Amino acid sequence: MPRVSVRGKLVEHAETVFRRQGFNGASVADITNAASVPKGSFYNHFKSKQELAAEIVRRYSRGTDLSMLGAEGLSATERLRAHFTAQDSRTNSTGVEYGCLLMTMASEGPTVGDEVGTVVRRSIAAWVGVLSPVIEEGQRLGEITSQEPASDLAAFLIDAFEGAGLRGKATQDAAAAMRSLNLALNAIKA
C-alpha cells in the first residue's frame, strides 16, 4: 500500500478540522496535530491556512454527487430531491452538528480571506449552474410551475436546504435541511 504524503495527510485531515472548528477556530497546529505531522512541515506544502482551506473547499465541491440530476425516468423535482438527499446523507455521515463544509466556510464570510471566499462563491455558483438546467427542463415539461428564472429557483433551493442545515447544525436536527428542501420543492412543483 502506498504511503500517504505529508501534503496528502494535511488535506485529508484538514476537512474534518475545518468542519468541526470552522476556519477561524482551526489553527495550523490543530491541522498538523490531526494529520500527525510536524507543524513546521505545513509551510513546506501550503503558504497559508487560506491556501489549504481553498483547496479543501475545491475538493469538497468536486466530491459532490451530481449523478441523480441526470437520472433516467425521474421527474425534474424527483431528481432534485434525490440530489439533495445525497447531499444530506453526505453531511449527516460526518455529523449534523458540523454541517456542510461549504456553508461552514460561507458562514464565516470575509474572515476566511479572499482566496477562500472566491472558491466558496465559485462553488455555490457552480452548484446553481448544475441545478438550473434540471429546473428549466421541469419548467418546459410543466413539472415546475414557477416562471421565475431557473437560476433564481436553483439558488432558492440551495438557500432552503443550506439555511435549514445551519439551523439543524445549531439544534442537532438531522432532518431540518430535507424538511425545508421538501417544502421548497413542493412550493414550485406542479
Side-chain angles (χ1 to χ4, degrees):
M1 180 133 192
R3 289 178 43 156
V4 178
S5 69
V6 170
R7 180 182 173 81
K9 286 181 182 180
L10 290 167
V11 169
E12 180 183 333
H13 292 280
E15 181 176 327
T16 301
V17 173
F18 285 133
R19 184 186 305 277
R20 291 182 177 190
Q21 295 175 222
F23 178 81
N24 292 310
S27 68
V28 170
D30 293 331
I31 295 164
T32 56
N33 287 341
S36 299
V37 300
K39 184 178 178 184
S41 66
F42 179 90
Y43 293 102
N44 292 332
H45 302 283
F46 299 98
K47 66 181 182 228
S48 65
K49 185 172 77 166
Q50 289 84 4
E51 181 184 35
L52 173 59
E55 182 167 326
I56 297 303
V57 172
R58 278 191 294 274
R59 178 179 178 239
Y60 182 83
S61 295
R62 282 191 307 266
T64 301
D65 181 2
L66 303 174
S67 63
M68 292 310 298
L69 294 174
E72 300 277 331
L74 298 177
S75 70
T77 55
E78 289 169 333
R79 286 182 283 149
L80 291 164
R81 184 174 284 112
H83 167 72
F84 280 102
T85 298
Q87 301 323 301
D88 189 56
S89 294
R90 180 185 191 191
T91 298
N92 288 334
S93 73
T94 59
V96 67
E97 66 274 23
Y98 304 122
C100 167
L101 177 71
L102 186 60
M103 289 308 117
T104 296
M105 294 297 191
S107 69
E108 294 193 47
T111 61
V112 297
D114 290 340
E115 186 175 4
V116 179
T118 297
V119 173
V120 167
R121 285 187 296 279
R122 286 179 181 161
S123 295
I124 294 169
W127 197 4
V128 167
V130 297
L131 297 179
S132 294
V134 178
I135 293 168
E136 287 171 350
E137 178 186 330
Q139 289 171 318
R140 274 193 317 276
L141 296 174
E143 298 168 357
I144 294 176
T145 59
S146 176
Q147 297 306 306
E148 297 297 325
S151 60
D152 289 349
L153 290 174
F156 167 65
L157 293 177
I158 292 168
D159 293 349
F161 179 76
E162 292 291 355
L166 284 173
R167 181 174 43 80
K169 179 179 176 176
T171 62
Q172 295 194 354
D173 180 357
M178 283 309 296
R179 269 197 318 274
S180 183
L181 184 274
N182 284 323
L183 287 169
L185 282 174
N186 288 340
I188 66 171
K189 184 174 142 183

